[in-house]
Amino acid sequence: MPQPTTNNEVAAGQRFPLTIKRIGINGEGIGYYKRKIVFIPGALPEEVVVAEVTNVAPRFIDAKVHKIRKMAPNRVEPKDATYGQVGGIELEHLNYPGQLAFKKDVVVQALEKFKPNGYAQYHITETVGMANPWHYRNKAQFQVREIDGQLAAGLYAPSSHTLIDLPEFATQTDLTMHIIRTVLKLVEALGIPVYDEQHNAGILKTIVVRESFETGQAQLTLITNSQKLPKKQALITAIQEQLPEVVSIMQNVNKGKTVMVWGDETIHLAGQETITETLNGIHFELTARAFFQLNPKQTAKMYEMVEDALDLNSNDRLVDAYCGVGTIGLSLANQVAEVRGMDTIPDSIEAAKHNAAINQIENTEYFVGAAEELLPQWLDDGFQPTALVVDPPRTGLDQQLIDAILLSLPAKFVYVSCNPSTLARDLKQLTTRYQVEQIQPLDMFPQTARVEAVVTLTLK
């Protein structure tokens, strides 16, 4: 075993006992050794472990669990055999009440780091969880490769392109998994060539399945390395015979080596071009590439929280920033005078307009563009929003948008966050004019370290 050369040095391979203090934002256990923070995946607060160093950086140490000397009372046996090999289930070793407590603590950690105005007095409620925190994901997006002569479909190991085959995955629905494994068998039986990343050869790269919880129907998309799809008709016929739930079969073309999963060209192969999902009474027709929340049950709860927090009336003019396919704005449109939404993805805006039409909602307008560019333009044109909901990506709000918010100062303001760190950072500026009435954490992704938060802000 490597030994440190001085009392203060730590080397890869070194082992030492470590008491775990809390869980970090990525779900890893955190302890301290020689005044350095130690990140150790799979370890839980209250545990004493023997840590084995895997990497030493100037300000932190990465380690793995060599042995657990004292086990936490909330440790459980992970459901998935692939726990520790793939992402998306990094908290399966922690019981569900422990996960909900951690997700509230992650919000607290972020506030303590960025210290927005009055953060110590914020009212942070308990995390809203699920009655059944399993089989909740309505979409699976699995890479397909050949491993040791057998076809495999699954996810990459973290920070690698090593594919882990996933015959089962406890956060996916039974239907999405059944469809993927059946399609994989059909591809193998028909001899359809799958993608070889090393040689940039072969056809089938990825299988994507989305299920509608409302109808029980599914959409299948085959992402391919070229427009060619050998044995296409035989495959379509077999899918329609063996998987009657699949009512939409699409092909997406994504040529060559790329970090992007999806390409620009999508081809309709069979069945419908969309499937329909329903949230809080609003119907959404979803194309293959349309963004839609992966956990519809919790999404419906989240939108109810947004509705309660905004407390809208028939005179309000609501801006739905980062609107996607219109889910939030359309669910609130019957309570306000008008809704304006914007998104940078043209397909999403077309879908939002279409969803408004099929639900016969006539007081919405949707625009292609960045919120940080459009909102200032609208203000210049004399439009004054009275209510605002923002649901930004993990990067948080753009500075221009924060400036526009602080210029327009809508009286009703809700920030929906999927990243406590960027939320706390943004609140530093927003709380110069707003006060935080409540932060409601919500568990959108059980078994993972991710947490959503619905933040109610009012003008000072």
Side-chain angles (χ1 to χ4, degrees), residues 5-39:
T5 55
T6 75
N7 288 336
N8 291 320
E9 287 184 3
V10 179
Q14 183 180 347
R15 294 174 187 163
F16 49 78
L18 187 70
T19 301
I20 307 302
K21 300 296 186 181
R22 71 195 312 179
I23 304 176
I25 59 172
N26 297 311
E28 68 282 82
I30 287 177
Y32 297 89
Y33 183 71
K34 294 186 182 293
R35 298 187 178 182
K36 267 191 178 181
I37 190 168
V38 182
F39 297 110

Side-chain angles (χ1 to χ4, degrees), residues 232-291:
K232 176 169 65 178
Q233 196 52 54
L235 178 61
I236 290 170
T237 300
I239 289 167
Q240 291 174 327
E241 287 175 354
Q242 296 187 33
L243 297 167
E245 305 92 344
V246 176
V247 299
S248 172
I249 306 176
M250 310 295 290
Q251 178 186 357
N252 177 265
V253 181
N254 186 20
K255 296 179 181 178
K257 292 186 180 181
T258 170
V259 295
M260 305 301 291
V261 174
W262 292 81
D264 292 333
E265 183 183 8
T266 302
I267 302 165
H268 176 221
L269 296 182
Q272 304 163 190
E273 290 197 41
T274 63
I275 59 170
T276 302
E277 185 60 281
T278 302
L279 277 182
N280 297 341
I282 305 293
H283 305 298
F284 298 93
E285 286 191 10
L286 304 175
T287 62
R289 293 200 62 187
F291 171 78

Side-chain angles (χ1 to χ4, degrees), residues 20 22-24 26-29 42-47 71-79 83 89-106 133-134 443 445-449:
I20 307 302
R22 71 195 312 179
I23 304 176
N26 297 311
E28 68 282 82
L44 295 174
E46 300 182 52
E47 290 188 332
M71 193 175 291
N74 51 10
R75 177 178 284 277
V76 293
E77 189 66 28
K79 278 196 176 190
Y83 165 79
I89 50 171
E90 56 269 17
L91 290 185
E92 272 195 356
H93 63 302
L94 176 60
N95 69 13
Y96 196 52
Q99 291 184 32
L100 296 181
F102 154 69
K103 294 189 181 196
K104 178 180 178 179
D105 184 59
V106 166
W134 304 99
D443 189 16
F445 299 104
Q447 318 311 324
T448 79

Side-chain angles (χ1 to χ4, degrees), residues 107-116 119 122 124 424 427 439:
V107 175
V108 173
Q109 287 183 52
L111 294 171
E112 288 174 347
K113 178 180 178 182
F114 287 94
K115 297 180 170 54
Y119 74 95
Y122 291 175
I124 307 172
L427 286 177
I439 299 179

Side-chain angles (χ1 to χ4, degrees), residues 179-200:
I179 292 170
I180 282 180
R181 300 317 289 191
T182 302
V183 170
L184 195 67
K185 287 177 185 173
L186 293 174
V187 167
E188 192 159 34
L190 290 168
I192 297 171
V194 303
Y195 186 60
D196 178 342
E197 194 170 26
Q198 187 175 353
H199 299 99
N200 190 29

Side-chain angles (χ1 to χ4, degrees), residues 20-329:
I20 307 302
K21 300 296 186 181
R22 71 195 312 179
I23 304 176
I25 59 172
N26 297 311
E28 68 282 82
I30 287 177
Y32 297 89
Y33 183 71
K34 294 186 182 293
R35 298 187 178 182
K36 267 191 178 181
I37 190 168
V38 182
F39 297 110
I40 182 161
L44 295 174
E46 300 182 52
E47 290 188 332
V48 178
V49 304
V50 177
E52 182 174 324
V53 177
T54 56
N55 177 57
V56 180
R59 303 179 73 172
F60 64 89
I61 298 167
D62 291 318
K64 62 182 180 181
V65 175
H66 174 68
K67 189 165 87 174
I68 300 176
R69 287 184 174 173
K70 178 191 171 191
M71 193 175 291
N74 51 10
R75 177 178 284 277
V76 293
E77 189 66 28
K79 278 196 176 190
D80 283 288
T82 50
Y83 165 79
Q85 299 177 52
V86 295
I89 50 171
E90 56 269 17
L91 290 185
E92 272 195 356
H93 63 302
L94 176 60
N95 69 13
Y96 196 52
Q99 291 184 32
L100 296 181
F102 154 69
K103 294 189 181 196
K104 178 180 178 179
D105 184 59
V106 166
V107 175
V108 173
Q109 287 183 52
L111 294 171
E112 288 174 347
K113 178 180 178 182
F114 287 94
K115 297 180 170 54
N117 291 342
Y119 74 95
Q121 280 74 50
Y122 291 175
H123 175 49
I124 307 172
T125 63
E126 299 304 313
T127 309
V128 173
M130 299 189 73
N132 176 18
W134 304 99
H135 307 293
Y136 61 83
R137 293 178 71 100
N138 64 353
K139 184 179 180 182
Q141 189 166 282
F142 284 6
Q143 311 299 320
V144 181
R145 299 290 185 270
E146 185 177 303
I147 301 175
D148 298 330
Q150 300 289 315
L151 291 197
L155 301 173
Y156 292 129
S159 304
S160 81
H161 270 221
T162 301
L163 190 73
I164 306 298
D165 190 36
L166 296 174
E168 299 175 339
F169 205 54
T171 57
Q172 289 292 159
T173 66
D174 291 338
L175 179 60
T176 57
M177 293 302 293
H178 171 62
I179 292 170
I180 282 180
R181 300 317 289 191
T182 302
V183 170
L184 195 67
K185 287 177 185 173
L186 293 174
V187 167
E188 192 159 34
L190 290 168
I192 297 171
V194 303
Y195 186 60
D196 178 342
E197 194 170 26
Q198 187 175 353
H199 299 99
N200 190 29
I203 301 295
L204 181 60
K205 285 183 164 184
T206 309
I207 299 173
V208 183
V209 180
R210 173 152 44 198
E211 175 187 355
S212 164
F213 282 15
E214 175 71 14
T215 65
Q217 296 177 336
Q219 180 178 64
L220 167 68
T221 304
L222 306 170
I223 300 181
T224 57
N225 189 35
S226 74
Q227 289 181 335
K228 271 178 32 181
L229 181 55
K231 310 284 183 68
K232 176 169 65 178
Q233 196 52 54
L235 178 61
I236 290 170
T237 300
I239 289 167
Q240 291 174 327
E241 287 175 354
Q242 296 187 33
L243 297 167
E245 305 92 344
V246 176
V247 299
S248 172
I249 306 176
M250 310 295 290
Q251 178 186 357
N252 177 265
V253 181
N254 186 20
K255 296 179 181 178
K257 292 186 180 181
T258 170
V259 295
M260 305 301 291
V261 174
W262 292 81
D264 292 333
E265 183 183 8
T266 302
I267 302 165
H268 176 221
L269 296 182
Q272 304 163 190
E273 290 197 41
T274 63
I275 59 170
T276 302
E277 185 60 281
T278 302
L279 277 182
N280 297 341
I282 305 293
H283 305 298
F284 298 93
E285 286 191 10
L286 304 175
T287 62
R289 293 200 62 187
F291 171 78
F292 197 76
Q293 292 281 5
L294 297 172
N295 185 339
K297 291 180 180 177
Q298 289 297 85
T299 301
K301 284 185 192 175
M302 184 171 76
Y303 292 172
E304 289 166 6
M305 292 173 188
V306 171
E307 180 180 340
D308 290 344
L310 282 171
D311 190 24
L312 297 164
N313 64 53
S314 58
N315 295 317
D316 277 319
R317 296 177 299 279
L318 173 67
V319 169
D320 178 10
Y322 311 96
C323 67
V325 297
T327 44
I328 294 180

Side-chain angles (χ1 to χ4, degrees), residues 319-323 340-345 349 353 365-385 388 398 400-405 407-408:
V319 169
D320 178 10
Y322 311 96
C323 67
R340 288 193 185 190
M342 71 280 266
D343 200 285
T344 56
I345 300 171
I349 292 301
K353 291 177 179 177
E365 287 187 278
Y366 289 101
F367 302 85
V368 177
E372 57 269 19
E373 294 172 3
L374 287 180
L375 184 55
Q377 287 177 24
W378 296 346
L379 297 175
D380 288 344
D381 292 340
F383 174 75
Q384 184 63 40
L388 171 68
D398 183 272
Q400 281 181 269
L401 180 57
I402 292 176
D403 293 343
I405 292 168
L407 181 64
S408 58

